[in-house]
Amino acid sequence: HFDLLIALAAWDELERLLPTFERALAQNQADPDYPKRHRSFLHARARLHVEKERYREAVSDLDTADRHEANHDDQRSLAITGRLVRARALEGLGDPQGALDICRETITYIEEELSPDHPWLARAYACAGRVLNQQGKAEAGATYFERAHKIVQGTDASPRLRAWVNERTGGAP
């Protein structure tokens, strides 16, 4: 399953297996879960594209995924991840303001729809902090990194999320 390969950062193996996943999906378009599975596939491929610095391809996959309906609660996580992957792609395409806008929109969405201390918020704060740092706005970036750390330390965030935040924020606060 591609989620496991992403978790392991096995990007070359994921790239090798994606055509097989895509063929299997194409053969099962009548499955009622096809839209959800196809959307998950597109998000996985977009993450791979970002890791391989193929940012235009990542944005294209995310645009296609966005055209699928996401009515399932379990798709909320995928939608948030997709927004943050899109931010990384825009950053890679030289649009840091577009990336920062998406990070901030995601922060607002999570705060309003989930809660102001939801563990997923840490990922969005880390995303915004990274973009600000790369724009030379280290002080503003540090504020977002501190918020990310406060959330993962004060909630039941998974060890994987804690590690993800530490990796992206350089172990701040």
Side-chain angles (χ1 to χ4, degrees), residues 84-101:
L84 298 177
V85 171
R86 183 180 298 276
R88 285 190 59 203
L90 290 177
E91 192 178 355
L93 288 169
D95 184 5
Q97 189 57 52
L100 186 58
D101 290 346

Side-chain angles (χ1 to χ4, degrees), residues 82-139:
R83 290 176 184 195
L84 298 177
V85 171
R86 183 180 298 276
R88 285 190 59 203
L90 290 177
E91 192 178 355
L93 288 169
D95 184 5
Q97 189 57 52
L100 186 58
D101 290 346
I102 288 174
C103 293
R104 287 179 171 155
E105 289 167 9
T106 304
I107 289 167
T108 300
Y109 172 81
I110 295 169
E111 288 175 340
E112 291 176 358
E113 297 296 322
L114 300 175
S115 80
D117 62 349
H118 195 283
W120 292 347
L121 194 54
R123 293 184 66 210
Y125 281 139
C127 175
R130 185 186 63 245
V131 173
L132 287 165
N133 267 359
Q134 290 183 356
Q135 288 181 317
K137 300 174 183 174
E139 192 172 315

